[in-house]
Amino acid sequence: EVKLLESGGGLVQPGGSLRLSCAASGFTFTDFYMSWIRQPPGKAPEWLDVIRNKANGFTTEYNPSVKGRFTISRDNTQNILYLQMNTLRTEDTAIYYCARGLPGYSVSDYWGQGVMVTVSS
Amino acid sequence: DIVMTQSPSSLAVSAGETVTLNCKSSQNLLYSGNQKNYLAWYQQKPGQSPKLLIYWASTRQSGVPDRFIGSGSGTDFTLTITTVQAEDLAIYYCQQYYDTPFTFGSGTKLEMK
């Protein structure tokens, strides 16, 4: 059974940093693209980034809205996906989901339960 | 960025009805190299994560009931739900994965009459 479990959310002040983790299980982690997607309360989801699979060199792409502030990475020995978030702004307040992509694509077939990040003074 | 526009924003239905949700993209999502439309539909129930229903515009994800039907090509897409059931009440989002940043529509909320 595919499982994705996010952790690391919480309250942070504007300008602060936070690192989210997503523990993956139930599938061969290195075979799949992984993404972070966020959803502000009451709004539509926003795709943030993707880290591709081993066959595609674990390359990354970012939404310009977070490029330069957020970094996606993966620990392929422990099957953990990370999102390092720096210089956080109030508009970064949202539920953050990690999601698995269909083989070779960024369509998210499994999502975690999400973790809340609140940026406020 | 590719802009995804969904209509209507909300829809009130009765159980057993057939409903049609619309999604329009600002750019063509049909890739000529493989003749596939890079368009997905998700369902999100209150307090839950989004769930993939349809990808490649018309391919049903494993386990999704066949009353969910995706269609369309290019820039205009439709999700049809035949014989709506109470459990289908949710917000439905379309998403393009043709080009980064992959973008979602603002959603259609399906409510009970």
Side-chain angles (χ1 to χ4, degrees):
Chain A
E1 181 190 3
V2 173
K3 289 185 179 179
L4 300 170
L5 184 63
E6 301 94 339
S7 60
L11 175 64
V12 61
Q13 291 189 338
S17 297
L18 210 56
R19 188 177 82 159
L20 305 183
S21 301
C22 171
S25 61
F27 62 100
T28 303
F29 189 58
T30 52
D31 283 351
F32 290 85
Y33 289 22
M34 298 295 297
S35 291
W36 288 97
I37 299 165
R38 69 184 178 187
Q39 187 172 29
K43 295 189 176 182
E46 178 187 23
W47 174 85
L48 298 181
D49 48 32
V50 62
I51 186 164
R52 296 184 176 89
N53 56 8
K54 182 177 180 180
N56 288 279
F58 302 124
T59 53
T60 59
E61 291 199 55
Y62 293 90
N63 191 320
S65 67
V66 301
K67 190 173 184 179
R69 297 191 301 126
F70 290 12
T71 303
I72 187 173
S73 61
R74 58 195 299 166
D75 181 334
N76 295 311
T77 61
Q78 297 200 59
N79 294 351
I80 300 174
L81 179 72
Y82 295 105
L83 181 65
Q84 177 66 43
M85 303 185 292
N86 297 329
T87 320
L88 283 161
R89 307 166 180 165
T90 55
E91 56 264 36
D92 294 319
T93 295
I95 298 172
Y96 284 71
Y97 298 99
C98 71
R100 188 187 83 164
L102 286 177
Y105 297 96
S106 288
V107 183
S108 301
D109 63 348
Y110 283 92
W111 298 54
Q113 87 289 348
V115 63
M116 186 69 201
V117 172
T118 302
V119 184
S120 174
S121 55
Chain B
D1 297 4
I2 298 176
V3 176
M4 306 300 293
T5 302
Q6 289 187 245
S7 63
S9 56
S10 65
L11 194 54
V13 300
S14 299
E17 286 186 3
T18 293
V19 297
T20 299
L21 285 59
N22 303 296
C23 175
K24 187 175 182 68
S25 63
S26 62
Q27 296 179 34
N28 177 42
L29 302 183
L30 176 63
Y31 178 52
S32 58
N34 58 13
Q35 288 299 298
K36 289 181 181 289
N37 286 282
Y38 284 57
L39 188 281
W41 289 94
Y42 297 89
Q43 175 194 64
Q44 187 174 32
K45 296 181 179 179
Q48 295 185 15
S49 310
K51 171 189 173 184
L52 177 64
L53 295 177
I54 303 281
Y55 57 98
W56 300 132
S58 60
T59 301
R60 212 174 289 116
Q61 172 68 336
S62 175
V64 173
D66 58 9
R67 65 179 182 274
F68 292 92
I69 301 167
S71 62
S73 184
T75 61
D76 291 280
F77 302 90
T78 296
L79 176 66
T80 300
I81 310 173
T82 62
T83 319
V84 169
Q85 300 183 9
E87 67 197 51
D88 299 333
L89 301 183
I91 301 176
Y92 292 84
Y93 296 101
C94 61
Q95 181 210 15
Q96 65 82 17
Y97 50 103
Y98 185 90
D99 193 17
T100 58
F102 306 127
T103 45
F104 291 82
S106 56
T108 293
K109 186 175 184 179
L110 204 60
E111 300 172 303
M112 191 62 78
K113 264 184 196 172

